[in-house]
Amino acid sequence: MDIVRHVRFFVAVSDQLHFGHAADELGMAQPPLSQGIARLERHLGVRLFDRDARRVQLTAAGADLLPTARRLLADADSWVASGRAWRPRATLRFGIADDLLEGWGHVLQALAQEGWNPMPVVKPSTTLVHLAREGEVDVALVRHPVITDGLLTGEVVSAPAHLECADPSTPANDLPVAVPPRGAHPPAHDQLVDALARSGHPATVVELETAQERRAWVAAGRAAALVATPRPPGPPEPPGPHPIEIRLRLVTGPLSVRRSRLDVSDLMGHLQELL
């Protein structure tokens, strides 16, 4: 039994209190409508209408069931409209440099909450630039400087960072900083070492291949981690005498390789505000 169709018969007759008028409203002949109401009453085991040659009236059961019937039809119509409007949601392939994992969760969380369905792609900055150029990532947050010929880029951002270690009682300056190998991105590596030196750190680093290794060394108390410091809302505060800063940039591929269903132009500006 098509329950939604028969409930629609019931609501139409309830509104019109006339089988002929209800049939006209539904665009059907009266006999099938009368048969449908009788079938619904048998299915429910209650009489919905009192009817004679002169008038049609809702029974007590019909009056009690009518509000629920209206909600059922409204939900059914809404469900059909949602189904017709549904489109597959594109996944945003969001690249993030493998030495920027710590402290950037808020960017990924914002993308998820705003419905961008982010899929993180964690690689060295130079690899992410190549993937963006080939259209294999949609947007990437990379360490600057990198060669960005042919890419659309955001402004270079100097992001504050600080050092953390597993034991809060251990001064972070007493430990080397866990970083990727210099060969993966020499300019960014050298800039970081200079920034550490300017901040008063001895600028000793330990070069480890993967993010998992770097986290393990930090957890074991053998190294400190460089963690992005979220900027508080409002006007920027004046920097300290020698802050640690890392330089970042958003990149996306040329128009020729971008996916047509995914417009990242506005997203680039929004992400810039989150950095």
Side-chain angles (χ1 to χ4, degrees), residues 98-99 123-126 143 177-190 192-193 205-211 213-214:
D98 62 355
D99 54 343
K123 302 286 183 184
S125 294
T126 49
R143 291 282 297 276
V177 181
V179 298
R182 181 180 184 276
H185 195 177
H189 178 96
D190 294 344
L192 173 59
V193 171
V205 297
V206 55
E207 299 181 23
L208 300 166
E209 190 71 31
T210 66
E213 288 180 285
R214 295 192 286 276

Side-chain angles (χ1 to χ4, degrees), residues 91-96 116 125 127-142 146-155 248-260 262-272 275:
T91 296
L92 178 73
R93 301 165 302 177
F94 185 74
I96 186 164
W116 283 96
S125 294
T127 301
L128 290 174
V129 166
H130 171 73
L131 294 177
R133 191 172 283 114
E134 297 297 317
E136 296 180 23
V137 296
D138 301 305
V139 183
L141 178 63
V142 299
V146 287
I147 298 173
T148 58
D149 294 353
L151 300 178
L152 175 65
T153 64
E155 297 179 6
L248 310 174
R249 191 168 220 177
L250 289 164
V251 300
T252 187
L255 288 172
S256 60
V257 301
R258 288 190 217 163
R259 291 185 288 170
S260 58
L262 195 66
D263 183 4
V264 299
S265 301
D266 291 339
L267 177 62
M268 289 282 284
H270 176 51
L271 284 171
Q272 195 80 34
L275 300 183

Side-chain angles (χ1 to χ4, degrees), residues 52-69:
D52 55 32
R54 292 181 301 167
R55 64 178 183 174
V56 175
Q57 286 186 313
L58 281 165
T59 64
D64 283 347
L65 291 170
L66 182 58
T68 306

Side-chain angles (χ1 to χ4, degrees), residues 163-237:
L163 297 178
E164 287 185 1
C165 51
D167 183 357
S169 65
T170 301
N173 276 6
D174 291 350
L175 296 172
V177 181
V179 298
R182 181 180 184 276
H185 195 177
H189 178 96
D190 294 344
Q191 284 188 1
L192 173 59
V193 171
D194 290 344
L196 290 172
R198 288 194 301 271
S199 73
H201 188 274
T204 54
V205 297
V206 55
E207 299 181 23
L208 300 166
E209 190 71 31
T210 66
Q212 291 90 337
E213 288 180 285
R214 295 192 286 276
R215 285 174 172 157
W217 274 61
V218 172
R222 299 293 302 273
L226 184 68
V227 179
T229 304
R231 295 183 186 275
E237 298 181 359

Side-chain angles (χ1 to χ4, degrees), residues 2 18 26 78 141 157 182 210 240 245:
D2 184 345
H18 190 285
L26 294 168
S78 176
L141 178 63
V157 174
R182 181 180 184 276
T210 66
E245 291 191 335

